[in-house]
């Protein structure tokens, strides 16, 4: 079985400040990791993914994440946030025989203040 | 390419009724997954279909069912609705070729309210 823990349910930050959203996972097989963003009343949009190769992954809108196998983490970072980054962010994992199944964390609400 | 579309976007039903939700995947995508999103339970996997076959299923009662057509469009059905079925139902599609772990593209969801 796989599981994901997002360590912060809410993260408030001021505009242009850096931010890190934390994600830890548990899996007995090799994993593939994703970060999605959800704006109010919308579906999920993929920010970035780790499938293999370089552990530092760059995504859209200036976000990046680092896969750390020894610490089973996949933290999301952005060096300078904008008001428009206010949204809920979900970390997700899949792997092994999990056909078409993403296991999600509980989400982190990022609020960017002016 | 057009994205994943879901219909209807909003639905209000009463307890005991049944409902059918529809999902059209991105052209060329053969895998369709369904998720339920609620404030209390978060995002939970319902089931996945690939080439008209259910390959994976989450821990939901038998009242939740689905199917996939030859054109990859998918429907999910919930029978005997309960208040707790009120949720945002999300559909996602993937090319899911030989590999199992391609990214999933999500639709806007169907907001179901059970009264």
């Amino acid at each position: 079985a796989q599981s994901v823990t997002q360590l912060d349910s809410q993260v408030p930050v001021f505009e242009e400040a850096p931010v890190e959203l934390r994600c830890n996972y548990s899996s007995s097989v090799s994993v593939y990791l994703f970060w999605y963003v959800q704006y109010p009343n919308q579906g999920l949009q993929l920010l970035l993914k780790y499938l293999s190769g370089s552990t530092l992954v760059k995504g859209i809108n200036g976000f990046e994440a680092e896969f750390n196998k020894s610490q089973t983490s996949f933290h999301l970072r952005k060096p300078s946030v904008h008001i428009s980054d206010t949204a809920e962010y979900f970390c997700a994992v899949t792997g092994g025989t999990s056909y078409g199944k993403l296991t999600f964390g509980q989400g982190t609400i990022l609020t960017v203040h002016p | 390419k057009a994205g994943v579309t879901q219909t209807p976007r909003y639905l209000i039903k009463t307890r005991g009724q049944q409902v059918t939700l529809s999902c059209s995947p991105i052209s060329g995508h053969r895998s369709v997954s369904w998720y339920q999103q609620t404030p209390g339970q978060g995002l939970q996997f319902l089931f996945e279909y690939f080439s008209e076959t259910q390959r994976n299923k989450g821990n939901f009662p038998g009242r939740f069912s689905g199917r996939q057509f030859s054109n990859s469009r998918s429907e999910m059905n919930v029978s005997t609705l309960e208040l707790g079925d009120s949720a945002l139902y999300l559909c996602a599609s993937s090319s899911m070729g030989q590999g199992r772990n391609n990214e999933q593209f999500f639709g806007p969801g169907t907001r179901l309210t059970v009264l």
Side-chain angles (χ1 to χ4, degrees):
Chain A
Q2 296 165 333
S3 66
V4 176
T5 301
Q6 291 184 240
L7 297 158
D8 306 294
S9 59
Q10 297 191 53
V11 172
V13 65
F14 287 107
E15 195 174 19
E16 297 184 9
V19 70
E20 178 179 81
L21 306 185
R22 298 180 294 168
C23 171
N24 285 94
Y25 68 91
S26 172
S27 176
S28 58
V29 298
S30 295
V31 295
Y32 304 88
L33 294 154
F34 305 84
W35 275 99
Y36 284 88
V37 61
Q38 186 176 35
Y39 299 99
N41 299 316
Q42 294 187 27
L44 302 176
Q45 180 184 9
L46 181 69
L47 279 177
L48 47 80
K49 60 187 177 186
Y50 171 77
L51 301 181
S52 64
S54 173
T55 57
L56 182 62
V57 179
K58 294 190 183 297
I60 63 171
N61 300 340
F63 284 95
E64 64 180 32
E66 185 156 19
F67 171 60
N68 188 318
K69 188 175 182 179
S70 63
Q71 297 188 9
T72 61
S73 68
F74 190 55
H75 301 333
L76 180 70
R77 302 185 184 101
K78 186 170 182 178
S80 176
V81 295
H82 304 289
I83 297 288
S84 60
D85 292 323
T86 295
E88 189 162 17
Y89 292 78
F90 293 93
C91 180
V93 65
T94 189
T97 57
S98 300
Y99 295 103
K101 176 183 178 182
L102 290 171
T103 299
F104 286 91
Q106 284 298 102
T108 298
I109 297 173
L110 174 65
T111 304
V112 181
H113 298 284
Chain B
K1 278 186 180 178
V4 178
T5 58
Q6 293 187 245
T7 56
R9 291 292 311 278
Y10 301 92
L11 207 49
I12 299 175
K13 293 286 188 179
T14 56
R15 279 181 300 173
Q17 288 186 309
Q18 73 166 15
V19 68
T20 300
L21 312 181
S22 180
C23 172
S24 292
I26 292 171
S27 177
H29 284 191
R30 297 166 63 189
S31 169
V32 174
S33 300
W34 289 89
Y35 297 85
Q36 181 195 66
Q37 185 178 24
T38 60
Q41 299 299 316
L43 282 153
Q44 294 186 288
F45 173 76
L46 281 155
F47 30 65
E48 187 256 4
Y49 286 85
F50 181 82
S51 292
E52 302 179 65
T53 300
Q54 185 183 89
R55 292 196 301 184
N56 203 354
K57 188 178 189 303
N59 296 322
F60 279 82
R63 299 186 297 107
F64 292 82
S65 63
R67 59 177 175 170
Q68 187 180 35
F69 302 95
S70 58
N71 62 358
S72 294
R73 190 177 70 83
S74 177
E75 290 181 345
M76 68 163 281
N77 184 275
V78 187
S79 62
T80 319
L81 284 166
E82 301 178 359
L83 295 179
D85 297 333
S86 294
L88 180 68
Y89 290 88
L90 293 164
C91 162
S93 77
S94 172
S95 58
M96 207 67 81
Q98 290 298 318
R100 308 184 184 105
N101 303 302
N102 292 348
E103 62 193 88
Q104 294 185 16
F105 296 85
F106 284 79
T110 294
R111 172 77 60 186
L112 172 64
T113 302
V114 182
L115 302 176

